[in-house]
């Protein structure tokens, strides 16, 4: 969840490091920092120099400029706090000054870290016994001292020895004062990439290729257990077996990570921008889909390599298990309704962090479906590996990042094309996941003989119309701004939905609580009378998703239960539902009823409601407190 940038060059790399942090700030913004091996003539004494801040990266840049920090080799970090409160002493990079009399002198090791070291307390006690003094509350400082304790003139050897003692997840970048043109990186359980600079005279490390946009598009994706050694003009990688790897084993890929993706344009926040990008994102996700065929989910086929792996898998499976977290979990909950109704396949949806720790019954004929925006979500990856360890080999992922660990570790994949999503509260990633999951439903239905040619054509026509339909929903924004003015004065809210739209109510409640800090809960509307109705007062707004489906009349009865208790309803209703505004009843009419694909339309007003409520309350929309994007820690 933290962001790492590192570089070895023949030019001052501080501007590159800070720019990289600005692009990674969505991954963590509790604190940030940069450390360099100070260049000769930079106005500072030679050796390791750093600047750290508990403000945003923009403030760090001012500090770096004021202190004239420059260097050819450096590392930088933006943090989402796990061990230790957001404070300067807990901010990365962390230093080790050695032991004994030297501990008060020049820093010897500088290190940044993403992940969690599970045995840090044991290592901390051991290192304190050796005379190391700890300045922070973090698990990361343990790694810096551990590297220092093993250093004997070669940083790579010291890092290799140190990581063998670590239990947990990590991506690290390390420097030593005695090797001014060297950075060593390692990863296990947290993402890290290598950027190959132009002309081979400089090399980079980062958590995400976007951090290096405009600097290099030549990327090597490091894999589990890899160590990498960066020096000007050369780099090498060793794998978890500690043997040197060839470029064939870790190829250099050309990755277009456009810096324009992080430009706001005319929007106030990235979340607003990404809400309004959804028609395009859906169109891009469906680009090239000419028919519902299982091969859509064959990763090789998507890369232009003929194959029928998906067809064979779909023929063999008779159940589906969906594993995901947060917003992705709610997309899976919606897909359960589709898969059971349209494809006739029993489907189970589990929170990934719970699945891996409970005793479950493995089924080799079950398709394991993981859903993740980043493809690096630690809990979901661990759940996937757990399922594989139980003998369930049929795996498929719905993911937004084609080069991610999730895609590499699943046999089948459907890559959504939401593009870069900066706002921590997911929007376009969610709707493109729904689109991918609906395609999966239709492909499975086809493989099981439950989809006629006419039905396929009708579903494809509806999907192709989605971008236009979404544009019409976005035009409702002024009405949702008016609702948001009411919600901004509240501290609690209920969201109701039935059937296929209950997961959409859950997603709406999550969005409101994430960015406005209003406590919000979602319930199946029929469950209201079994407890939650006790909470309903005029101070508890009740948002209701009311499509014109088979459950509409039941839902109307649930709404009357709210009105009878003095509750105030805010209803998203299809045009033909005959629900009219009145006292205690506010109605926004959706442009059209969209059948099974209705969730993709009804979630957009809930996104806009949360966004404008947060704006009215003055919260930090894109960087909500205590949260970060791409959750790569457990």
């Amino acid at each position: 969840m933290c962001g790492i940038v590192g570089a070895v060059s023949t030019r001052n790399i501080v501007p590159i490091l800070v720019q990289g942090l600005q692009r990674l700030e969505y991954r963590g913004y509790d604190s940030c920092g940069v450390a360099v091996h100070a260049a000769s003539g930079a106005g500072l004494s030679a050796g390791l120099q750093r600047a750290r801040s508990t403000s945003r990266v923009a403030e760090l840049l001012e500090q770096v400029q004021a202190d004239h920090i420059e260097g050819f080799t450096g590392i930088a970090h933006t943090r989402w706090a796990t061990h230790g409160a957001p404070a300067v002493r807990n901010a990365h990079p962390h230093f080790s000054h050695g032991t004994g009399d030297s501990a008060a002198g020049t820093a010897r090791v500088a290190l940044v870290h993403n992940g969690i070291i599970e045995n840090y307390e044991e290592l901390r006690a051991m290192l304190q016994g050796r005379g190391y003094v700890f300045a922070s509350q973090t698990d990361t400082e343990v790694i810096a001292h551990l590297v220092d304790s093993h250093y004997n003139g070669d940083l790579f050897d010291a890092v290799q020895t140190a990581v063998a003692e670590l239990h947990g997840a990590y991506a690290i970048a390390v420097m030593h004062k005695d090797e001014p043109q060297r950075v060593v990186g390692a990863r296990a359980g947290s993402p890290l990439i290598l950027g190959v600079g132009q002309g081979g005279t400089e090399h980079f490390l980062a958590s995400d290729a976007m951090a290096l946009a405009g600097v290099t598009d030549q990327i090597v994706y490091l894999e589990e257990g890899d160590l990498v050694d960066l020096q000007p003009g050369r780099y090498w990688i060793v794998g978890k077996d500690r043997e040197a790897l060839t470029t064939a084993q870790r190829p250099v890929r050309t990755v277009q990570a456009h810096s324009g993706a992080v430009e706001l344009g005319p929007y106030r926040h990235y979340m607003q921008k990404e809400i309004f990008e959804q028609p395009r994102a859906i169109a891009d996700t469906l680009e090239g889909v000419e028919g519902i065929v299982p091969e859509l989910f064959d990763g090789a086929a998507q890369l232009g390599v003929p194959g029928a792996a998906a067809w064979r898998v779909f023929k063999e499976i008779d159940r589906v298990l969906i594993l995901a977290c947060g917003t992705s979990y709610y997309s899976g909950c919606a897909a359960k309704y589709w898969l059971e109704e349209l494809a006739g396949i029993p489907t189970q949806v589990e929170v990934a962090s719970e699945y891996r720790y409970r005793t479950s019954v493995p089924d080799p004929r079950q398709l394991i479906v993981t859903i993740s925006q980043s493809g690096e979500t630690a809990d979901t990856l661990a759940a996937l590996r757990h399922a594989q360890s139980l003998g369930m080999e049929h795996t498929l992922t719905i993911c937004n990042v084609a080069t991610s660990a999730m895609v590499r570790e699943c046999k089948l994949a459907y890559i959504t094309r939401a593009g870069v999503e900066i706002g921590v509260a997911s929007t376009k990633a969610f709707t493109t996941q729904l689109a991918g999951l609906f395609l999966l439903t239709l492909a499975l239905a086809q493989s099981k003989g439950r989809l006629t040619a006419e039905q396929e054509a009708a579903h494809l026509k509806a999907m192709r119309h989605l971008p236009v339909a979404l544009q019409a929903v976005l035009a409702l924004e002024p009405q949702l701004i008016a609702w948001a003015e009411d919600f901004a004065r509240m501290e609690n809210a209920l969201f109701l939905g039935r059937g296929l739209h209950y997961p959409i109510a859950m997603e709406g409640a999550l969005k409101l609580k994430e960015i406005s800090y209003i406590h919000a809960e979602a319930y199946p509307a029929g469950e209201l009378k079994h407890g939650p109705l006790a909470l309903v007062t005029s101070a508890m707004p009740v948002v209701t998703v009311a499509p014109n489906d088979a459950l509409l009349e039941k839902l109307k009865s649930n709404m009357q239960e709210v009105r009878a208790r003095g509750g105030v309803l805010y209803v998203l209703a299809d045009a033909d539902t005959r629900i009219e505004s009145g006292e205690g009843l506010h109605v926004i009419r959706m442009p059209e009823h969209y059948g099974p694909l209705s969730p993709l339309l009804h979630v957009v007003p809930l996104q806009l409601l949360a966004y404008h409520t947060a704006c009215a309350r003055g919260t930090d929309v894109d960087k909500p407190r205590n949260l970060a994007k791409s959750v790569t820690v457990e």
Side-chain angles (χ1 to χ4, degrees):
M1 295 170 74
C2 306
I4 290 174
V5 190
V8 173
S9 181
T10 56
R11 57 173 166 159
N12 176 30
I13 45 77
V14 172
I16 293 173
L17 297 177
V18 174
Q19 183 183 66
L21 288 189
Q22 289 173 325
R23 292 174 178 163
L24 294 180
E25 196 169 18
Y26 69 98
R27 298 176 71 103
Y29 36 88
D30 291 334
S31 60
C32 52
V34 61
V36 300
H37 202 291
S40 176
L44 297 168
S45 58
L48 300 177
Q49 305 288 342
R50 70 179 170 186
R52 299 183 291 176
S53 173
T54 53
S55 296
R56 298 294 166 79
V57 176
E59 194 279 339
L60 177 69
L61 175 60
E62 295 177 2
Q63 185 179 338
V64 164
Q65 292 171 338
D67 293 343
H68 304 289
I69 295 178
E70 298 178 3
F72 300 149
T73 304
I75 54 179
H77 188 268
T78 181
R79 179 178 186 244
W80 183 80
T82 55
H83 296 68
V88 171
R89 69 187 179 114
N90 292 325
H92 301 214
H94 285 286
F95 279 176
S96 176
H97 294 82
T99 61
D101 294 339
S102 64
T106 303
R108 292 154 50 116
V109 171
L111 179 143
V112 293
H113 164 228
N114 181 17
I116 292 178
I117 304 304
E118 296 174 356
N119 62 331
Y120 85 99
E121 291 176 323
E122 171 190 333
L123 293 172
R124 184 183 180 110
M126 179 267 291
L127 290 162
Q128 286 174 326
R130 295 181 184 179
Y132 283 94
V133 176
F134 283 77
S136 78
Q137 302 166 307
T138 68
D139 55 339
T140 299
E141 192 180 3
V142 163
I143 317 175
H145 291 318
L146 192 61
V147 170
D148 180 79
S149 73
H150 290 298
Y151 187 78
N152 193 25
D154 188 291
L155 181 59
F156 187 85
D157 288 347
V159 172
Q160 181 171 269
T161 304
V163 297
E165 300 181 42
L166 303 178
H167 300 161
Y170 57 82
I172 60 173
V174 194
M175 299 190 303
H176 195 281
K177 74 175 184 67
D178 293 338
E179 300 182 65
Q181 291 187 303
R182 193 178 199 184
V183 172
V184 175
R187 67 149 295 186
S190 292
L192 192 66
I193 63 164
L194 161 68
V196 179
Q198 296 179 356
T201 60
E202 58 184 12
H203 302 299
F204 308 90
L205 289 176
S207 299
D208 189 309
M210 189 171 66
L212 305 179
V215 177
T216 181
D217 61 358
Q218 300 299 292
I219 303 298
V220 177
Y221 287 91
L222 302 176
E223 296 190 6
E224 193 76 0
D226 282 358
L227 279 84
V228 60
D229 194 330
L230 277 61
Q231 299 182 35
R234 62 183 299 198
Y235 72 86
W236 67 89
I237 303 168
V238 300
K240 60 184 177 183
D241 59 2
R242 297 304 176 246
E243 291 187 6
L245 301 175
T246 66
T247 54
Q249 292 169 293
R250 298 291 183 272
V252 179
R253 305 175 187 272
T254 300
V255 177
Q256 300 295 333
H258 298 291
S259 58
V262 296
E263 300 298 328
L264 268 175
Y267 300 99
R268 290 178 62 188
H269 300 93
Y270 287 109
M271 183 178 179
Q272 185 186 31
K273 174 176 181 275
E274 289 153 9
I275 289 171
F276 277 83
E277 285 176 341
Q278 287 176 114
R280 178 206 56 77
I282 292 291
D284 289 349
T285 294
L286 300 178
E287 184 180 358
V289 176
E290 300 299 331
I292 306 300
V293 293
E295 281 74 11
L296 282 173
F297 297 86
D298 188 335
Q302 289 196 64
L303 297 174
V305 181
W311 178 264
R312 291 192 297 271
V313 169
F314 290 178
K315 284 289 189 181
E316 291 179 13
I317 64 101
D318 51 27
R319 299 181 66 86
V320 172
L321 170 61
I322 297 175
L323 302 171
C325 302
T327 286
S328 296
Y329 170 75
Y330 296 143
S331 71
C333 291
K336 174 182 171 70
Y337 288 89
W338 290 331
L339 286 162
E340 295 194 340
E341 179 177 348
L342 301 178
I345 297 178
T347 301
Q348 184 177 356
V349 188
E350 295 217 29
V351 174
S353 58
E354 291 295 314
Y355 170 74
R356 62 181 293 207
Y357 290 117
R358 72 172 184 84
T359 301
S360 57
V361 180
D363 183 352
R365 293 182 61 83
Q366 189 164 241
L367 177 65
I368 306 300
V369 177
T370 63
I371 311 171
S372 171
Q373 188 281 136
S374 67
E376 303 288 349
T377 308
D379 285 323
T380 308
L381 276 171
L384 167 66
R385 292 163 185 161
H386 176 65
Q388 290 169 325
S389 74
L390 295 176
M392 290 182 282
E393 298 182 353
H394 299 317
T395 57
L396 180 150
T397 189
I398 306 290
C399 185
N400 191 40
V401 182
T403 54
S404 65
M406 204 82 71
V407 173
R408 293 196 301 270
E409 295 187 28
C410 284
K411 290 188 176 180
L412 304 175
Y414 188 80
I415 310 302
T416 61
R417 298 179 182 179
V420 175
E421 190 176 66
I422 300 296
V424 167
S426 181
T427 52
K428 62 180 180 175
F430 178 73
T431 48
T432 55
Q433 285 171 355
L434 289 175
L437 287 162
F438 192 76
L439 284 172
L440 173 62
T441 299
L442 298 179
L444 284 167
Q446 184 191 70
S447 70
K448 301 299 182 184
R450 296 177 62 92
L451 188 66
T452 66
E454 293 76 14
Q455 289 170 327
E456 176 182 330
H459 287 307
L460 281 172
K461 181 179 179 181
M463 294 197 80
R464 292 193 185 104
H465 183 62
L466 275 172
V468 174
L470 284 167
Q471 289 286 9
V473 176
L474 289 167
L476 300 173
E477 186 180 32
Q479 297 176 63
L480 290 154
I481 292 174
W483 278 16
E485 291 173 356
D486 293 343
F487 275 72
R489 298 190 295 269
M490 305 299 177
E491 294 301 328
N492 300 280
L494 283 175
F495 286 70
L496 303 180
R498 296 204 72 149
L500 179 59
H501 293 82
Y502 169 47
I504 300 310
M506 291 194 288
E507 172 62 8
L510 177 63
K511 286 291 155 286
L512 188 67
K513 73 179 76 170
E514 279 181 318
I515 62 171
S516 74
Y517 316 144
I518 293 172
H519 174 249
E521 296 290 343
Y523 287 91
E527 193 67 9
L528 190 67
K529 57 187 174 291
H530 295 293
L533 197 59
L535 296 173
V536 171
T537 69
S538 60
M540 173 75 82
V542 180
V543 181
T544 307
V545 182
N548 189 10
D549 59 16
L551 291 170
L552 178 62
E553 294 306 317
K554 299 291 186 184
L555 182 63
K556 286 182 178 179
S557 296
N558 303 139
M559 291 165 54
Q560 290 301 325
E561 294 167 1
V562 172
R563 296 190 74 186
R565 273 79 180 177
V568 180
L569 285 159
Y570 294 79
V571 184
L572 295 169
D574 285 347
D576 49 0
T577 54
R578 299 188 303 279
I579 301 174
E580 304 295 337
S581 295
E583 185 178 354
L585 178 59
H586 307 274
V587 179
I588 290 179
R589 301 213 172 275
M590 298 292 286
E592 57 184 305
H593 176 58
Y594 223 65
L597 289 168
S598 175
L600 281 87
L601 303 188
H602 274 88
V603 75
V604 175
L606 299 181
Q607 295 169 348
L608 288 168
L609 174 62
Y611 170 73
H612 285 291
T613 300
C615 288
R617 287 169 69 95
T619 63
D620 192 338
V621 172
D622 288 329
K623 300 181 177 68
R625 68 188 183 204
N626 305 332
L627 302 178
K629 198 83 168 175
S630 186
V631 186
T632 57
V633 297
E634 184 179 349

